[in-house]
Amino acid sequence: MTNSYHPVEQSKRTAIVDILRGWALLGVAIGNYSDFLFIGVPHKFNHSILSEILMTFNRYFFAAKSWTLLTLLFGYGFAILINNVASKGKNPVTFFAWRMVLLFVLAFINSSFWLGDILKDYAFLGLVMLLFYKCSARTLAIISAVIVLSIPFVMAYVNGFKIEHPEIATNPEYLKLYHSGNWLDFFRFNLLASFYEQIIIPGYAITAHLIMFACMLFGFLLQKIDFFNRLNDLKKLLKRVLWISLTVAIIIGVCFNLIIFYKEVAVFKIFHPLYWLVLSTMIFIATGISLLYTNGKLKTIFSYFSAGGKMTLTNYIAQNILAAFIFSGIGLGIGDAMPYWFYFCLAVFIFIVQLFISKWWLSKYNYGPIEWLWRSASYRKVFPFKKTETVAATEVKTV
């Protein structure tokens, strides 16, 4: 038995997983940048037709669907790492616990720039996942299904909880920190907002974390059955899932909007199916992308999404730091002064630029810079950062 262990080689990564990560990262960027419109004193918005169209597109195709997909893929990656470390005769619990501690550090840094950080949630739930890493596929399926089926009742109940807390993102006194131009004030604003508007809010602390945990378990399950490596053999199943998930999403969406239209919202105090709509839509989108991939469609576009997905952590944190310099007082100070379409289009533009940079970067380096730091610290070993000419030539030949 070897006394050393190494991460999964880049050449052995499953391409569709990175492609899906890239797609999810686009949605996260749009969601995060759009949220800057709501950091400020509340005021009436007069949205243009373009803004209304983009808001609708974001609501139905990206909002919450992106982070749930990214969370599912985190669970998939968790299983890959656990299996890799265990196969080398090492203790996977010790290794992954240390890896999550490092992720907490990255989460703290990211939270200093952006109040909507999700890395802290992944680090926390990653530790919880260690309690389930020996579960069978059947057990994982049952647990995740029970959570998903119960979530409308849990959400309805939790929404009844009322916790008094300062509204950091809309309070003029706290907004002074955001616009001051002082780095420490800006970091304080984001950390306070992360605590008061995420960590202690029941809807996020309980409901959102339950959904994240169910998605992680489901991702773990997909790895156990080697799902993403068998897509060509599962085309018929994928097509069935595509149409079933679309049908479910449409039915729930129509019912949801009818309840709101007729103002019968009292039902939401007992049964709130929002996340059923989110998850069914997310599954429809992910399945559709997987089918396009297996059919050999959009190869060039997918190659760029794959590169962006391989550098998800670097791109995600870079997006948030760049946004801080664009919108807050430590940079241009644009704040909430622009129309919605500006935030949406800026996110898409930055994401596209990141895809090109990622493609170029990975032609010269083995990992994204933050991925390399996290990986080296996790394994407590410095891995080769820059590609050798032999490796680069082999990859070009393969492509």
Side-chain angles (χ1 to χ4, degrees):
M1 188 73 71
T2 179
N3 290 322
S4 62
Y5 50 99
H6 305 275
V8 177
E9 296 176 20
Q10 293 285 66
S11 60
K12 294 182 180 179
R13 293 175 69 107
T14 305
I16 184 59
V17 174
D18 287 321
I19 291 168
L20 291 172
R21 282 196 182 104
W23 173 265
L25 187 63
L26 169 61
V28 167
I30 291 172
N32 288 352
Y33 276 54
S34 298
D35 281 347
F36 279 97
L37 184 60
F38 305 101
I39 299 178
V41 177
H43 60 279
K44 186 177 181 180
F45 297 106
N46 294 313
H47 295 300
S48 65
I49 293 176
L50 176 59
S51 290
E52 291 286 356
I53 291 172
L54 293 177
M55 287 175 68
T56 301
F57 186 80
N58 178 37
R59 181 162 60 249
Y60 286 106
F61 289 95
F62 289 117
K65 293 84 180 174
S66 297
W67 63 256
T68 49
L69 176 57
L70 205 58
T71 306
L72 182 152
L73 298 172
F74 180 88
Y76 181 89
F78 166 88
I80 294 284
L81 275 171
I82 288 291
N83 291 341
N84 181 48
V85 173
S87 68
K88 305 299 181 182
K90 297 294 181 179
N91 187 333
V93 175
T94 302
F95 169 80
F96 203 81
W98 168 241
R99 188 169 171 83
M100 292 302 97
V101 169
L102 295 173
L103 189 58
F104 269 120
V105 175
L106 292 174
F108 179 80
I109 295 171
N110 190 53
S111 294
S112 299
F113 287 92
W114 169 234
L115 56 85
D117 168 75
I118 201 172
L119 300 180
K120 63 184 182 303
D121 308 301
Y122 286 2
F124 166 69
L125 291 173
L127 293 174
V128 177
M129 284 281 288
L130 289 173
L131 300 173
F132 299 84
Y133 86 95
K134 290 185 178 180
C135 288
S136 65
R138 176 184 170 82
T139 301
L140 292 171
I142 292 172
I143 296 173
S144 57
V146 168
I147 294 174
V148 170
L149 290 174
S150 64
I151 207 68
F153 303 98
V154 173
M155 183 173 181
Y157 179 70
V158 169
N159 283 353
F161 295 170
K162 301 297 179 184
I163 292 184
E164 295 295 328
H165 66 91
E167 300 289 341
I168 306 295
T170 57
N171 187 304
E173 289 303 312
Y174 288 103
L175 286 170
K176 290 178 183 178
L177 300 174
Y178 179 71
H179 293 292
S180 72
N182 180 288
W183 285 67
L184 292 179
D185 285 345
F186 176 68
F187 293 158
R188 184 184 170 204
F189 171 85
N190 283 303
L191 292 172
L192 283 171
S194 294
F195 178 76
Y196 284 114
E197 300 190 5
Q198 274 197 327
I199 294 176
I200 68 168
I201 298 298
Y204 190 90
I206 300 174
T207 311
H209 278 90
L210 277 175
I211 284 293
M212 287 185 198
F213 187 58
C215 288
M216 286 185 185
L217 290 176
F218 190 67
F220 195 177
L221 166 64
L222 293 181
Q223 194 284 326
K224 274 189 173 289
I225 63 176
D226 200 25
F227 179 80
F228 288 115
N229 290 316
R230 299 191 297 124
L231 292 182
N232 286 320
D233 301 326
L234 298 172
K235 279 189 178 181
K236 288 184 178 180
L237 174 63
L238 288 175
K239 289 177 182 178
R240 285 200 297 270
V241 170
L242 181 77
W243 292 113
I244 291 172
S245 58
L246 176 60
T247 302
V248 171
I250 291 174
I251 292 172
I252 296 175
V254 169
C255 293
F256 198 84
N257 283 289
L258 285 174
I259 289 171
I260 295 174
F261 181 78
Y262 288 106
K263 298 180 181 179
E264 299 292 339
V265 292
V267 70
F268 291 153
K269 295 180 179 180
I270 303 170
F271 184 84
H272 204 305
L274 174 63
Y275 279 109
W276 279 7
L277 176 60
V278 168
L279 293 176
S280 56
T281 307
M282 180 269 283
I283 292 171
F284 166 71
I285 293 170
T287 304
I289 293 173
S290 298
L291 278 170
L292 286 172
Y293 172 75
T294 57
N295 291 330
K297 307 294 184 182
L298 307 176
K299 285 185 178 180
T300 301
I301 294 176
F302 279 160
S303 70
Y304 281 93
F305 271 83
S306 178
K310 288 177 182 176
M311 292 176 54
T312 297
L313 192 57
T314 294
N315 286 328
Y316 170 65
I317 293 178
Q319 287 171 2
N320 295 330
I321 293 176
L322 185 57
F325 283 104
I326 294 173
F327 298 113
S328 77
I330 64 171
L332 300 178
I334 292 176
D336 60 346
M338 304 300 287
Y340 178 87
W341 64 261
F342 174 83
Y343 300 88
F344 185 102
C345 294
L346 180 63
V348 174
F349 173 75
I350 289 174
F351 174 76
I352 292 173
V353 171
Q354 285 186 319
L355 291 187
F356 281 97
I357 293 174
S358 298
K359 186 83 167 174
W360 169 81
W361 182 275
L362 292 174
S363 70
K364 297 181 178 297
Y365 301 94
N366 289 312
Y367 316 101
I370 299 180
E371 283 80 6
W372 177 78
L373 284 171
W374 190 30
R375 189 171 296 234
S376 296
S378 297
Y379 290 89
R380 304 182 190 189
K381 174 185 177 181
V382 177
F383 290 95
F385 188 39
K386 194 169 184 178
K387 287 184 176 178
T388 62
E389 291 184 7
T390 304
V391 172
T394 302
E395 290 197 355
V396 169
K397 196 172 183 180
T398 303
V399 172

